[in-house]
Amino acid sequence: MKQLSVIIPIYNAPKPFLEHCIASVQENISKMGDEVEVFLINDGSTEQYIDPMLKEAEASDSRFHYIYKQKSGVSDTRNLGIDMAQCEYIIFVDADDYLEPDAFSYMLDSMKKHDVDLIVFGFCTIENGKSIVAEERVEKWISGSSKLEVLYSYIANIMGSWYDKGVNLNSPWAKIYKRDTIIKNQIRFSPKLILHQDSFFNLWFVSSIDRFYIDNRIVYNYVYHENSAIHRFSNRLISVTVNLMPMLEKLVANNYPDNKDFYDAIIRRAYSYVRLIKEYYFTHPQNTKSFRELKSEMDEFLSNPNVSKWLKQLKLRDATDTIDFKNRLLLKLHLYWIFLITERRKKSKLV
């Protein structure tokens, strides 16, 4: 069996970024022979330069395979790559990022050395031409209680301590997966989730294995640019919250039904999403909808059974400060819409 399948979902990636991505992949596979296959999957991009660029890459190297599909989102695109992959291991690369030289070789050698289903590697953030790199060197096994801690972090969506170490547990990039584990457990990216589908994929994968390895040596460069921003004015997180909560509950119920901490983690995540949605949608300065429209949307969202079930379990005594207490209290009293009035008054004073 061949060694490595590389899956690159592509949708309107900026031209210089996509060029850099493909060039870095070409450099990585230059000495790998026929042990690698690369899937360039175009998810219905509308930018005119993308199709000829990907066709040229395919023509230049028989290990590149260009696939065009109608736009259906990054989850479907990555899932198509999984279905097409024929190698022992799978690596995902985003089309606006790039790899370190010899990243693939190092990742493959590590997989063979440690004989594990998953290895998580380090990454460097490139922002405005500057590199942001973790200073700490980390190599460790994650199993037993440490695996439970990671699973809690996945469910509650609290990954800050890992980011500080240069490790992104949420993303599918900077990781190498054993393909058989994905296939055997029918692990896929959920098309229902337009955000955080990668985090749930990894949660599902980690739940299916006994242990994995972390090596934060940098193999990957994440290029931060304007289109990378997730938390901009948007209501996308509303549908994500509604769809994700029952998925998390099902996963916990099937795998860890007696772990009370994991159910508390779901509550924590639901609550954090509500606060994010308030900030980036309901009370965002760009939202010009009327108070009545916003209150109606907010009431509908908060009364959704998949959301209200978890918010009802919020405890006032767990509040960390006065603002947190106020948020929890207003949710408990079904008065969360008061924030809409407060923000409107602030805006009117600025006019």
Side-chain angles (χ1 to χ4, degrees):
M1 177 182 280
K2 291 184 178 182
Q3 292 291 294
L4 185 63
S5 297
V6 181
I7 299 170
I8 309 177
I10 300 155
Y11 178 73
N12 287 348
K15 187 175 182 180
F17 297 163
L18 181 56
E19 288 175 334
H20 197 176
C21 176
I22 292 174
S24 74
V25 172
Q26 288 173 323
E27 180 180 12
N28 265 269
I29 69 174
S30 61
K31 300 176 183 178
M32 295 185 68
D34 294 329
E35 293 302 298
V36 61
E37 59 184 7
V38 180
F39 296 103
L40 303 166
I41 310 179
N42 183 357
D43 185 30
S45 295
T46 56
E47 296 288 355
Q48 296 303 306
Y49 58 81
I50 289 181
D51 183 72
M53 187 189 300
L54 300 182
K55 287 180 177 176
E56 181 181 350
E58 182 181 46
S60 69
D61 192 318
S62 61
R63 293 168 295 182
F64 280 97
H65 306 281
Y66 172 40
I67 300 97
Y68 175 87
K69 58 184 278 292
Q70 294 295 321
K71 187 177 187 319
S72 59
V74 70
S75 289
D76 278 338
T77 306
R78 288 184 180 132
N79 288 341
L80 176 60
I82 291 171
D83 293 338
M84 298 180 68
Q86 297 297 314
C87 297
E88 189 171 357
Y89 306 112
I90 288 177
I91 288 175
F92 296 96
V93 178
D94 281 358
D96 45 6
D97 300 332
Y98 64 95
L99 298 145
E100 287 291 297
D102 297 322
F104 290 164
S105 296
Y106 181 78
M107 296 167 83
L108 269 176
D109 289 345
S110 297
M111 204 65 161
K112 295 172 185 176
K113 174 184 176 182
H114 297 297
D115 188 25
V116 67
D117 297 82
L118 169 68
I119 301 181
V120 181
F121 295 93
F123 74 102
C124 173
T125 298
I126 310 296
E127 185 173 0
N128 297 323
K130 295 181 180 179
S131 301
I132 304 172
V133 182
E135 297 180 0
E136 183 181 0
R137 186 79 174 94
V138 177
E139 288 188 78
K140 63 186 299 184
W141 285 101
I142 303 294
S143 61
S145 60
S146 62
K147 178 191 162 183
L148 293 179
E149 290 174 9
V150 167
L151 288 171
Y152 181 92
S153 297
Y154 270 125
I155 298 167
N157 196 33
I158 47 171
M159 298 294 186
S161 62
W162 287 107
Y163 292 142
D164 293 339
K165 297 180 178 68
V167 174
N168 188 338
L169 290 176
N170 277 328
S171 72
W173 43 256
K175 296 172 182 62
I176 184 167
Y177 303 84
K178 185 173 284 187
R179 175 181 171 273
D180 281 353
T181 304
I182 295 175
I183 302 303
K184 179 178 66 177
N185 294 285
Q186 300 181 319
I187 303 169
R188 292 295 187 273
F189 294 90
S190 174
K192 291 182 179 180
L193 304 177
I194 54 178
L195 294 172
H196 300 184
Q197 65 283 100
D198 42 8
S199 174
F200 187 79
F201 177 91
N202 285 321
L203 168 61
W204 190 352
F205 191 98
V206 170
S207 296
S208 304
I209 59 179
D210 293 327
R211 62 178 187 162
F212 65 98
Y213 195 71
I214 287 182
D215 173 0
N216 77 340
R217 169 173 158 168
I218 296 171
V219 300
Y220 194 92
N221 294 282
Y222 167 69
V223 182
Y224 183 91
H225 54 93
E226 185 177 353
N227 292 332
S228 302
I230 293 176
H231 296 316
R232 55 184 181 269
F233 174 54
S234 171
N235 65 353
R236 294 182 298 169
L237 200 50
I238 292 177
S239 66
V240 171
T241 308
V242 169
N243 289 317
L244 181 59
M245 293 304 110
M247 293 168 61
L248 291 173
E249 181 180 12
K250 181 178 179 181
L251 186 143
V252 170
N254 287 343
N255 296 281
Y256 311 97
D258 299 322
N259 193 315
K260 181 180 179 296
D261 288 341
F262 285 177
Y263 289 102
D264 288 341
I266 300 177
I267 298 170
R268 181 170 181 169
R269 187 168 191 145
Y271 177 50
S272 69
Y273 275 0
V274 167
R275 296 188 68 174
L276 282 173
I277 293 165
K278 179 192 73 176
E279 180 178 356
Y280 291 105
Y281 180 67
F282 287 118
T283 63
H284 196 281
Q286 293 180 30
N287 198 331
T288 59
K289 291 184 177 181
S290 70
F291 171 81
R292 180 175 293 182
E293 289 176 300
L294 290 174
K295 183 178 182 303
S296 176
E297 287 184 30
M298 182 181 279
D299 288 343
E300 180 181 2
F301 166 60
L302 294 176
S303 62
N304 185 287
N306 293 337
V307 179
S308 62
K309 173 179 181 177
W310 303 104
L311 296 181
K312 287 177 182 177
Q313 300 178 61
L314 277 174
K315 296 179 176 63
L316 296 179
R317 67 172 179 268
D318 292 336
T320 56
D321 53 35
T322 303
I323 295 175
D324 187 22
F325 183 86
K326 181 179 179 181
N327 274 276
R328 291 169 181 261
L329 180 61
L330 291 179
L331 281 168
K332 286 284 189 182
L333 298 175
H334 304 285
L335 296 173
Y336 208 61
W337 51 265
I338 286 177
F339 285 113
L340 299 175
I341 296 178
T342 304
E343 290 301 314
R344 287 296 164 95
R345 285 177 178 172
K346 287 181 183 178
K347 290 178 187 177
S348 63
K349 289 180 181 179
L350 293 174
V351 175

